[in-house]
Amino acid sequence: MESLVKAIASDIQDVSETDIRTEISGMALRLIFSGVVSLATETAPCVTTISEKPMAFLPARVEARSKNLVPNLHHDNISLSNDQRLSIQYVNGENTLSDIANEIEKHIDKGELNLSANGTPMTAGSETLKKHLPDYVKTLLVFLAGKALLVG
């Protein structure tokens, strides 16, 4: 703050550094108490382990409805594939891994989502789907956690 006070004082000769410091402090407090600026004493609540009912960062879930780039907890933009964009909607803190898999399977059944495992399409009711969909969900969640998109 001192370098800012000195820079302002060099431009405004008739105001003391004490008055400048007081004014800057007052402006900072007004910005904080009006909600324009927020202060945090803890790091963002991102998680690296998968909980029983995982939850993705809400702004990312909202943005994923219409965009491939979503914000993460570090304020970076993360690119999601179309299947990840659809799947992240169910990572809402209410669904278990099995529930998420069931919701994804509904989209596969309707033909809205195409997934494959080792080059074999996961079609509705197939053994490939039953065998590999749980792994897909786990891989998705590990990806989301690694990109700071899961919250505690």
Side-chain angles (χ1 to χ4, degrees):
M1 181 153 136
E2 286 307 309
S3 60
L4 178 62
V5 169
K6 290 190 184 306
I8 293 170
S10 68
D11 286 342
I12 305 172
Q13 309 290 326
D14 59 341
V15 180
S16 72
E17 288 187 13
T18 302
D19 290 342
I20 294 169
R21 194 174 297 104
T22 301
E23 187 61 30
I24 291 172
S25 297
M27 287 188 326
L29 287 173
R30 284 191 296 280
L31 290 171
I32 291 167
F33 289 119
S34 66
V36 173
V37 173
S38 62
L39 301 177
T41 58
E42 299 176 1
T43 60
C46 56
V47 297
T48 55
T49 57
I50 311 304
S51 67
E52 184 179 322
K53 293 184 176 184
M55 183 166 52
F57 185 44
L58 179 60
R61 290 196 333 255
V62 170
E63 289 293 311
R65 292 178 188 159
S66 61
K67 299 176 184 171
N68 283 37
L69 284 178
V70 299
N72 73 1
L73 289 156
H74 301 303
H75 307 287
D76 296 323
N77 284 322
I78 304 299
S79 180
L80 299 181
S81 63
N82 288 335
D83 60 296
Q84 293 167 334
R85 287 180 52 216
L86 182 132
S87 301
I88 198 173
Q89 302 306 316
Y90 303 107
V91 184
N92 57 13
E94 297 175 9
N95 294 318
T96 63
L97 276 63
S98 178
D99 295 335
I100 295 166
N102 290 337
E103 292 300 326
I104 293 169
E105 186 172 4
K106 290 176 188 176
H107 290 281
I108 293 170
D109 289 346
K110 294 177 189 174
E112 298 170 344
L113 180 61
N114 296 310
L115 296 176
S116 62
N118 302 323
T120 304
M122 289 194 229
T123 56
S126 71
E127 286 301 314
T128 304
L129 181 68
K130 290 178 186 167
K131 180 179 177 184
H132 293 288
L133 190 56
D135 291 334
Y136 167 81
V137 172
K138 289 176 189 168
T139 301
L140 168 74
L141 295 171
V142 168
F143 168 81
L144 297 176
K147 296 296 185 179
L149 288 167
L150 290 185
V151 295

